[in-house]
Each structure stands twice: as C-alpha cells, then as structure tokens.
Amino acid sequence: MPPAIEATGLRKAYRDLQVLDSIDLRVESGTVFSLLGPNGAGKTTTVRILATLTDADAGRARVAGHDVRAERSAVRRAISLTGQFAAVDELQTGAENLRMMARLSGLSRTAADRRATELLERFDLADAGRRPARTYSGGMRRRLDLAAGLVRDAEVIFLDEPTTGLDPRSRQELWQVVRDLAEGGTTVFLTTQYLEEADLLADRIAVMDAGRVVAEGTAAELKARVAGHRLDLVLATTADYERAALRLAGRAALHRSRETLTLGVPTDGTAAHVRALLDELDPERTDIARFSLHTATLDDVFLALTEKEQLTHV
C-alpha cells in the first residue's frame, strides 16, 4: 500500500528563525507514528503543514495520497486533527457537541444524531452524553474532543500532544483510544514530549531537534543506537564528580547531575565493559561511591540526541 504520509525536504522559516530544516518523513498506512522532541523542535509546525493549515517554504508532502498544497480539500476530507487543548463547547452537552460537529460536516439531522450516539459509545461517554461538557474531567474532555474530530471517518488522525496536562489515569484512557484507532486500521500521527507515550504506542518514532529529524526507527532500534544499557555512577564528593566528568569530556553521557553527583554513561552491559568504565573513570577506586546498571530507555535516546551541548557541559 502507498504510505499514508510522505514528506520530502520540508522547510519552514519565520523571518530569521528556521523552524523546519529539510524534513523527510514516511508513515505507513494503519500504523502509529510518533514525532518526539522538545519544545521548539518543530513538531507542531510539521503537523500544521501536513494538515494543510500552513504552507511549507520548500519541499513536498502527500497525505492519504493527496498533495497537501495542490489538493487541500481532498486532504482535509481524509484527515482529522486534534490540537494540544480540548476545543469543545463547555456549555453544551457531550451529545450536543458531537451533533453540532456532525451537522457542520454535512450530515443530515438524523445521521448526525446516529453518529453522535455511536461516538459516545465508542469513547466511553454514553453515560455522560447528556451532561454539560464543563462537568467533564480533563480526560473526558480530551476524549470528547477526539470524538468530535471523528464525526467523519478519517484515514489519518493527527494528535498534537493530546495528553498535555492530563493526569496519569486520563492519559492511560486516551492511550487506549489511540490503540483502538490503530487496531481499526486508522493511521495515527502523534506528537509528544512524553517518552513513555511514544514507547508504548508508536510503531515507529522520529526524534526531532532544532527543526531536523535526528533519528528514526522503532523504540528498540533507537535505544540500541544510543546504548544497550546505562551505567549510573554516584560519586563520593563534588570534586570526585567533577574529576569523573572531566574524564568524560567530549564523549557521550546519558545523564549528568551535579546536585546528586550522578553520571550516566552508555555501556553494552557486559561485565568486562562495566569494569573497564569503572577503572577508566575511577582508576584509584576511591571516587565512585556506588553504581547501578539499567536497560537504556527512550529518555536516554532523547537526551543523547537532542541535548548534546548540555550533556557535554560540566
């Protein structure tokens, strides 16, 4: 099947600020794709271009088989977009919100009523459908917002940081919605700052920093690219910490904290490599108070690939 999303050489600048610097993306149909990066990395701008809300300065993109510049209307008919904040009318009930969106999408009154009922059931909001949206929890508002974007069946759904500000329970509820959508064959394009979210949901992940894609792959591939494991070292004193950090100058580190006197360094996890690192960083065997070995996480990938200048600062 052709890809659900394909972008080549996307560039975007606002005056002197280069927001996107030659972005290439390919998202297969029926998968969950996560765009992961810090604030200002260019995630939302990428979504806005793919959703036809903003024109790229250069490059090409196709969504659901349609060119985002030449075939805007066809793209918009094929997609749904949910932004960072729930856009629901809090004075209306959940059912009224959905019926309104269905009518605005061109459905008849009867069809709008039927679709609203279906979506309330699908998003576990049937019992709350007659209540004003202002009485909903944050997670319920986000589910209602997502349901409103699906009054017409969409081939591709863009979720721009959909769990921002939600409590852990509400985040998990929305994660299940995303899983259900993907299992139903919908392509989900998810932007997030939450590493756990990308790890749990995404089939593939692209890591963005300063307007560029700096790495792409499955969660396992990205973790393996940085290191199989992380060796956390707790130094005995501030002077010991600074001495060990100096020995690491110019080399990759996955974590640095002067406050806790902790350094995290990549390792393959073998006893031989761990011993070699301990001997290299503490040749007198007096500086390191204790150490622990962990499997590498997406946090390690994120820090190593997006904040190298901070990681090399002592």
Side-chain angles (χ1 to χ4, degrees), residues 59-259:
R60 297 177 298 172
R62 298 181 69 83
V63 175
H66 306 290
D67 186 279
V68 297
R69 189 187 296 269
E71 302 172 277
R72 291 178 186 270
S73 296
V75 172
R76 291 174 180 176
R77 285 193 296 269
I79 69 171
S80 171
L81 169 62
T82 298
Q84 296 180 22
F85 305 100
V88 299
D89 186 337
E90 295 192 346
L91 297 180
Q92 295 192 88
T93 66
E96 287 169 344
N97 268 280
L98 296 181
R99 285 197 294 267
M100 177 185 67
M101 293 304 298
R103 293 287 283 154
L104 290 173
S105 297
L107 297 185
S108 68
R109 187 179 300 276
T110 301
D113 288 342
R114 184 169 57 250
R115 186 59 173 159
T117 300
E118 292 172 353
L119 289 169
L120 288 171
E121 290 285 350
R122 181 178 182 182
F123 287 88
D124 195 24
L125 292 169
D127 292 341
R130 295 184 179 181
R131 285 167 38 197
R134 67 173 180 272
T135 67
Y136 287 13
S137 67
M140 292 170 69
R141 285 193 185 95
R142 293 302 285 162
R143 295 206 306 275
L144 179 62
D145 192 29
L146 186 53
L150 295 174
V151 291
R152 290 183 297 104
D153 289 327
E155 296 179 49
V156 180
I157 296 178
F158 292 96
L159 302 179
D160 190 15
E161 300 191 18
T163 60
T164 296
L166 295 186
D167 60 77
R169 183 182 297 277
S170 297
R171 288 178 64 201
Q172 291 180 11
E173 290 174 351
L174 196 61
W175 290 347
Q176 187 58 52
V177 170
V178 172
R179 293 188 186 99
D180 292 343
L181 289 169
E183 289 175 3
T186 302
T187 303
V188 180
F189 189 99
L190 171 73
T191 74
T192 183
Q193 297 181 64
Y194 297 119
L195 303 155
E196 178 189 13
E197 193 162 272
D199 204 351
L200 289 173
L201 298 177
D203 297 295
R204 290 188 68 81
I205 301 166
V207 182
M208 285 192 72
D209 188 37
R212 296 184 178 185
V213 173
V214 295
E216 183 178 343
T218 65
E221 289 169 347
L222 291 174
K223 292 172 188 177
R225 174 171 173 169
V226 173
H229 295 78
R230 185 186 76 244
L231 180 66
D232 284 349
L233 309 172
V234 179
L235 284 300
T237 67
T238 300
D240 296 334
Y241 171 88
E242 292 177 348
R243 191 160 41 246
L246 186 61
R247 292 186 176 115
L248 278 173
R251 294 173 49 189
L254 302 178
H255 176 68
R256 293 176 187 259
S257 173
R258 182 181 276 102
E259 290 75 17

